């Protein structure tokens, strides 16, 4: 019997019979390892765990507890789902493709007559469980493409036929499990018995191959875990995220809306939402003034010639909106930098004037593809808390450290933890090697000084310079991009910005683009989900709601409301002739922090009885005392 040499990752070499499978080797090491093995890397090529080994090779087992192993497990569960659907619906439904994705997998089906609904998920899951319990082996077959085309044509699987016709190879691989056969490169788990915990989560429409010109398919989303406990945990989190979805809460709390008549990805802020973001913006203005920034404002459209000078026209044109007036072309700003440079250039600068720090809550427009738009998180028009710092090369380190400290302060006030990343030069970029190296090392040294850990993303920088990205972590442990700090040696060059140094000579300033919260729209979206709509008092658009017990106190309640408003409390009155319990419940749904109950007793004593949205009640107090209390509570934040 011929043998082959297998080199394991620890360097050990085994002589095994030719035709031995990776799974056999896993078994020879231990039954536990065999149960965990879903596939293998043979000389770095992914293969099935039950693929016979024909020649000497380096072998690495792919186990369930690795991201790659989990992906194979989930993709194999996609086959199981397609198998179940075919068992249940037969030729009524055609199969297409089913990849693993972040958090799970999907499978796209075509059907002329059947529309999948969540009510059927149970039935499909039961069938999947039945097929998993049967422990069907997944068997790979390599066949000639013509044979595969004939096979799928006979089964009326038109999409599979089209897929094979587009392949260049003569030989294609099929995977069979029981009566089900699918075209796939693999690898897959050795048998369906390995697939233990799965759940269908949603159904959505998707075009075949992502093109609107093609047929509309039905995409069944699902997830799978090797362990039932992990599946349960994941589903609980998914449910929590669904409850906190900012689009749903945005509607319920009447914060904002989108309207196709106005245009996709363009936010319309309703009174409470507009007030919420105004509160955040006012806070930001104060914090910037405290740190030596100047508030500036530039125009919304600037001449296209200027965008050519800046390089945006060449590098960013496809994401910009343009308009023409009086035979003059203008670009709607996708970034706020240009006006800030014109402010710098408006007079002669000396080294004593530096650094200049220009801050603008600047609204920008960027054309995002319609497919990626997502509530407030991905929009086409948004406001950045943007600043540009122009300084001498010698000041760069200190300025970047100052921004990182600023980020730390602001994240602390909102109560977010965060992670830092450094992104280096991308393929498509402008500027010299020397500039890039200088900028990158300035960011490195500032990051090192924070004492915090940071990751490096090679090639992920902006086209005009390297950057630091800050990702905050929300209550569900999800990460969101907020602050970025970008060095730029290029724009000062292109706009010929200079300052007179202590030597009396002209020098080039360095430019830093930076945002702290990023896009206000996106940040509000993150806040809504993080707090599940229960905003901290200092940014709650409505801090208190006055509710009277009977009509008898209506006039007094209105007077209290007016008085509190005078004192700067954001307050509303609910004086409807409804039961108190009903009014309190409504205020709770609106997530108003305090309800101020007024009955005969309060009216006679000239007081109000506050009740927190958590159900906790405070002793009756005068309106003045309540206003002081609110001011004090808000001061605790900053
Ligand atoms: Zn597959
Ligand atoms: Zn900028």
């Amino acid at each position: 019997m011929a043998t082959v040499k297998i080199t394991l990752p620890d360097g050990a070499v085994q002589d095994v019979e030719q035709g031995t499978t990776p799974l056999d080797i896993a078994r020879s090491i231990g039954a536990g390892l065999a149960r965990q093995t879903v596939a293998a890397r043979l000389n770095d090529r992914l293969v099935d765990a039950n693929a016979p080994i024909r020649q000497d090779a380096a072998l690495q087992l792919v186990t369930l507890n690795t991201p790659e192993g989990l992906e194979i497990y989930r993709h194999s569960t996609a086959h199981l789902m397609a198998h179940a659907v075919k068992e249940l619906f037969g030729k009524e439904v055609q199969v297409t493709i089913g990849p693993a994705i972040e958090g799970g997998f999907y499978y796209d089906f075509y059907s002329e007559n059947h529309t999948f609904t969540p009510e059927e998920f149970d039935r499909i899951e039961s069938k999947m469980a039945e097929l998993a319990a049967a422990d069907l082996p997944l068997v790979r077959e390599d066949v000639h493409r013509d044979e595969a085309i004939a096979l799928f044509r006979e089964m009326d699987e038109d999409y599979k036929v089209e897929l094979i016709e587009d392949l260049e190879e003569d030989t294609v691989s099929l995977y069979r499990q029981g009566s089900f056969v699918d075209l796939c490169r693999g690898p897959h788990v050795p048998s369906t018995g390995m697939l233990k915990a799965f759940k269908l989560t949603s159904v959505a429409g998707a075009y075949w191959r992502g093109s609107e010109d093609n047929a509309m398919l039905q995409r069944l989303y699902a997830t799978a875990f090797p362990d039932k406990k992990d599946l349960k945990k994941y589903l609980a989190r998914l449910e929590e995220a669904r409850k906190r979805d900012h689009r749903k809460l945005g509607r319920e709390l009447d914060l904002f809306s989108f309207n196709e008549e106005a245009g996709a990805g363009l936010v319309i802020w309703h009174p409470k939402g507009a007030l919420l973001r105004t509160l955040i913006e006012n806070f930001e203005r104060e914090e910037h003034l405290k740190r030596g920034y100047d508030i500036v404002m530039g125009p919304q459209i600037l001449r296209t010639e200027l965008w050519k000078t800046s390089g945006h026209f060449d590098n960013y044109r496809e994401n910009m909106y343009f308009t023409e007036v009086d035979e003059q072309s203008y670009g709607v700003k996708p970034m706020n930098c240009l006006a800030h440079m014109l402010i710098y250039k408006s007079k002669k600068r000396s080294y004593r004037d530096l650094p200049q720090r220009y801050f603008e809550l600047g609204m920008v427009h960027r054309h995002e593809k319609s497919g990626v738009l997502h509530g407030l998180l991905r929009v086409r028009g948004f406001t950045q808390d943007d600043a540009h710092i122009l300084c001498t090369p010698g000041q760069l380190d200190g300025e970047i450290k100052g921004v990182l400290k600023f980020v730390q302060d602001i994240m602390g006030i909102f109560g977010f933890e965060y992670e830092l990343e450094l992104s280096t030069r991308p393929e498509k970029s402008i500027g010299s090697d020397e500039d890039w190296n200088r900028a990158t090392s300035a960011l490195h040294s500032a990051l090192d000084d924070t004492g915090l850990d940071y990751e490096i993303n090679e090639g992920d920088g902006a086209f005009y310079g390297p950057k630091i990205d800050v990702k905050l972590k929300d209550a569900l442990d999800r990460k969101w991009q907020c602050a970025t700090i970008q060095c730029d040696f290029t724009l000062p060059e292109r706009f010929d910005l200079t300052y007179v140094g202590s030597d009396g000579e002209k020098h080039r300033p360095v430019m830093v683009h930076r945002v702290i919260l990023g896009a206000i729209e996106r940040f509000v979206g993150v806040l809504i989900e993080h707090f599940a709509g229960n905003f901290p008092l200092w940014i709650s658009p409505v801090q208190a709601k006055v509710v009277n017990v009977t009509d008898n106190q209506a006039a007094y309640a209105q007077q209290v409301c007016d008085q509190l408003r005078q004192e700067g409390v954001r307050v509303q009155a609910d004086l409807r002739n409804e039961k108190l319990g009903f009014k309190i419940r409504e205020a709770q749904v609106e997530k108003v922090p305090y309800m101020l109950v007024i009955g005969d007793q309060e009216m006679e004593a000239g007081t109000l009885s506050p009740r927190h949205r958590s159900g906790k009640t405070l002793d009756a107090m005068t309106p003045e005392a309540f206003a002081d209390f609110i001011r004090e509570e808000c001061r605790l934040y900053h």
Side-chain angles (χ1 to χ4, degrees), residues 547-550 578-586 596-598:
V547 289
N548 55 334
V549 180
T550 68
E578 298 280 358
K579 286 226 164 61
L580 181 65
F582 175 80
K583 291 204 272 194
I584 287 179
R585 267 195 307 282
E586 253 193 25
L596 309 176
V597 180
I598 291 177

Side-chain angles (χ1 to χ4, degrees), residues 253-431:
L253 302 178
D254 196 17
L255 299 174
F256 62 87
S257 62
F258 292 90
N259 189 321
E260 283 299 325
E261 285 180 69
L266 301 170
V267 190
I268 298 167
W269 292 94
H270 296 202
K272 281 193 241 173
L275 182 52
L276 170 63
R277 62 170 281 182
T278 302
L279 290 163
I280 295 169
E281 289 171 354
N282 287 346
F283 160 71
E284 283 228 87
R285 286 190 185 98
E286 278 173 39
E287 294 299 317
H288 279 81
L289 288 173
K290 276 189 212 167
R291 287 168 178 80
Y293 285 81
D294 293 312
I295 294 175
V296 299
M297 290 177 194
Q300 206 59 45
I301 56 173
L302 295 91
R303 283 175 56 185
T304 300
E305 290 309 311
L306 203 63
W307 297 112
K308 286 183 181 161
T309 308
S310 69
H312 286 88
F313 191 82
D314 286 339
N315 291 283
Y316 205 71
R317 188 177 46 219
E318 59 271 30
N319 299 314
M320 287 177 67
Y321 294 90
F322 290 93
T323 182
E324 206 178 294
V325 183
D326 289 346
E327 286 163 49
Q328 189 72 252
S329 171
Y330 291 85
V332 178
K333 66 173 174 176
M335 295 174 191
N336 303 298
C337 333
L338 268 52
H340 296 194
M341 279 187 297
L342 297 181
I343 295 168
Y344 183 91
K345 250 190 118 154
S346 65
K347 63 183 192 189
K348 216 171 149 188
R349 306 285 175 182
S350 130
Y351 69 97
R352 289 190 209 89
D353 302 327
L354 301 186
Q356 292 280 314
R357 306 186 186 101
Y358 303 133
F359 171 63
E360 177 173 9
L361 283 158
M363 172 126 204
V364 297
H365 286 83
R366 295 179 188 174
H367 182 77
E368 299 275 5
K369 291 207 174 71
S370 60
V372 302
L373 297 176
H374 181 88
L376 293 178
L377 301 178
R378 276 297 270 278
V379 289
R380 286 179 174 164
F382 55 96
T383 304
Q384 294 179 300
D385 60 340
D386 203 1
H388 294 92
I389 299 171
L390 289 137
C391 63
T392 68
Q395 291 169 329
L396 186 60
D397 267 23
E399 287 304 309
I400 290 166
K401 280 170 199 163
V403 177
L404 281 176
K405 176 73 173 67
F406 198 171
V407 170
Q408 186 187 351
D409 293 347
I410 299 292
M411 289 299 116
I413 285 165
F414 284 101
F416 286 118
E417 285 180 38
Y418 60 92
E419 288 176 1
L420 298 164
E421 288 174 13
L422 172 64
S423 297
T424 59
R425 188 174 193 167
E427 258 173 50
K428 193 178 176 185
S429 64
I430 49 182

Side-chain angles (χ1 to χ4, degrees), residues 15-28:
D15 284 310
V16 298
E17 267 179 36
Q18 197 180 43
T20 300
T21 69
L23 198 55
D24 294 332
I25 293 168
R27 269 193 212 108
S28 73

Side-chain angles (χ1 to χ4, degrees), residues 611-629:
R611 183 197 154 96
H612 190 254
R613 62 187 161 202
S614 63
K616 206 178 112 197
T617 55
L618 303 180
D619 290 339
M621 57 178 88
T622 62
E624 296 80 25
F626 182 72
D628 282 343
F629 168 75

Side-chain angles (χ1 to χ4, degrees), residues 75 79 184 188:
H75 169 68
H79 278 253
C184 197
H188 303 99

